[in-house]
Amino acid sequence: MNNEKYPEKLTDSYYLVRKEWLDESTQLGKYRTLKNAVAKAKANSAFVFTEDGDVVYPAAASEVESTIKKGTLNTNMNVRDGSSMDANKLFILKKGSVVEILDDCKNGWFKIKCEKTDCGYAFISNVTGDYISVSE
């Protein structure tokens, strides 16, 4: 997304600073000014979103992609719509499937991208464990 299409100051909505769009509990604040939202996001390795979920910051996809790791599953794995065992199971990825690890949600959960979804959550335990083989 390009920051130039977003106004510096909002009057009837907010810029939301979150670690993940789908998880409201990761919200770090909401701001009327883009400058303040970006400063908070930078200080906390977070994102700035519009209230509709558009990513405002980081502006360049390359800023996010540089931290993405790819991995091959060493076992079948449930993919869920949230980072907990209580979240709805979306589907099962088969052993040998390749995923992109987008974010560490802590406690063994990772946000992933694969051929079946742009955003899902899997309990990987850690990126060097028995469940997945990671490559840079």
Side-chain angles (χ1 to χ4, degrees):
M1 293 282 155
N2 189 345
N3 280 352
E4 287 136 23
K5 81 178 212 176
Y6 298 102
E8 177 55 37
K9 185 163 179 77
L10 300 174
T11 56
D12 59 352
S13 62
Y14 292 94
Y15 291 114
L16 306 176
V17 179
R18 294 183 182 176
K19 295 272 188 173
E20 298 177 43
W21 172 248
L22 295 176
D23 187 353
E24 289 181 26
S25 71
T26 67
Q27 186 162 310
L28 303 170
K30 58 184 184 177
Y31 299 86
R32 295 270 188 199
T33 61
L34 182 57
K35 178 180 161 184
N36 292 342
V38 169
K40 182 73 170 186
K42 282 182 179 180
N44 292 280
S45 299
F47 297 89
V48 176
F49 298 96
T50 64
E51 288 182 336
D52 294 330
D54 292 336
V55 178
V56 177
Y57 173 85
S62 62
E63 292 178 50
V64 176
E65 289 170 6
S66 65
T67 63
I68 295 174
K69 296 180 181 180
K70 291 191 180 200
T72 304
L73 299 183
N74 297 328
T75 185
N76 291 345
M77 186 172 294
N78 291 328
V79 176
R80 298 180 182 271
D81 64 1
S83 57
S84 83
M85 290 294 189
D86 295 329
N88 293 323
K89 184 167 63 171
L90 300 174
F91 51 86
I92 298 173
L93 282 176
K94 300 291 183 196
K95 179 180 178 179
S97 297
V98 175
V99 299
E100 292 181 15
I101 300 169
L102 304 177
D103 191 22
D104 182 347
C105 301
K106 307 300 180 216
N107 299 324
W109 287 92
F110 289 82
K111 181 177 179 182
I112 64 165
K113 178 179 178 181
C114 64
E115 63 184 31
K116 292 185 176 185
T117 185
D118 285 337
C119 178
Y121 297 84
F123 185 79
I124 296 174
S125 182
N126 62 60
V127 294
T128 58
D130 295 331
Y131 300 140
I132 192 167
S133 299
V134 176
S135 60
E136 295 294 325

